[in-house]
């Protein structure tokens, strides 16, 4: 049960990949509606731009449902009226990449999203 209470910040770490798109949309609408003006939504999800993550480790958790590329998340947040959206790539498997292929395989395994209402 949720009241009409408003929040300055809502966080959802490794949640959105467990939702189907309609559920994700509902969650984002609810977060938008509950945030105060200038409030912050912080999320983290597996970085499916990393080939190793999208083809292997994403599937280690059988409750993962939806692979969410950065562009999909950005478009949903923009559609819902979030004004400033930032992405931070986290937890690389390797600190240095010799080639673009290294980055795609061993780069950041998680993606943080910071969106402002």
């Amino acid at each position: 049960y949720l009241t009409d209470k408003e929040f300055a910040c809502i966080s959802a770490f490794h949640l959105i990949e467990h939702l189907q798109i309609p559920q994700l949309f509902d969650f984002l609408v609810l977060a938008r509606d509950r945030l105060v003006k200038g409030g912050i939504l912080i999320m983290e999800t597996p970085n499916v731009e990393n080939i190793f993550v999208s083809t292997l480790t994403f599937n280690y958790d059988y409750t993962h449902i939806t692979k969410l590329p950065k562009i999909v998340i950005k478009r949903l947040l923009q559609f819902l009226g979030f004004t400033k959206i930032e992405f931070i790539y986290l937890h690389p498997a390797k600190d240095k990449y010799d080639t673009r292929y290294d980055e795609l395989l061993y780069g950041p395994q998680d993606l943080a999203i910071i969106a402002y209402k």
Side-chain angles (χ1 to χ4, degrees):
Y1 173 74
L2 291 173
T3 66
D4 290 336
K5 187 173 183 178
E6 290 186 313
F7 301 94
C9 181
I10 295 173
S11 64
F13 289 76
H14 288 275
L15 168 76
I16 61 176
E17 66 273 11
H18 296 270
L19 306 174
Q20 295 175 351
I21 293 296
Q23 294 170 314
L24 173 60
F25 189 83
D26 289 347
F27 167 74
L28 294 175
V29 167
L30 182 62
R32 180 201 61 198
D33 292 348
R34 293 292 189 252
L35 283 169
V36 297
K37 184 171 175 54
I40 303 171
L41 173 63
I42 303 171
M43 300 180 289
E44 185 177 311
T45 191
N47 176 24
V48 297
E49 294 174 10
N50 176 313
I51 294 170
F52 190 67
V53 170
S54 64
T55 61
L56 184 63
T57 61
F58 185 88
N59 300 306
Y60 286 174
D61 184 340
Y62 66 91
T63 64
H64 283 173
I65 296 172
T66 307
K67 292 179 183 174
L68 294 160
K70 175 178 152 180
I71 191 69
V72 171
I73 298 166
K74 182 177 182 179
R75 294 290 182 249
L76 279 170
L77 291 168
Q78 287 173 330
F79 178 78
L80 293 171
F82 285 88
T83 56
K84 183 179 175 188
I85 303 162
E86 299 173 7
F87 294 93
I88 303 169
Y89 290 96
L90 302 167
H91 312 121
K94 200 170 155 181
D95 289 331
K96 186 177 181 219
Y97 320 116
D98 297 323
T99 67
R100 174 71 174 134
Y101 297 111
D102 276 353
E103 184 179 1
L104 289 171
L105 290 169
Y106 306 112
Q109 298 174 77
D110 293 306
L111 178 65
I113 305 103
I114 303 170
Y116 299 83
K117 179 176 176 182

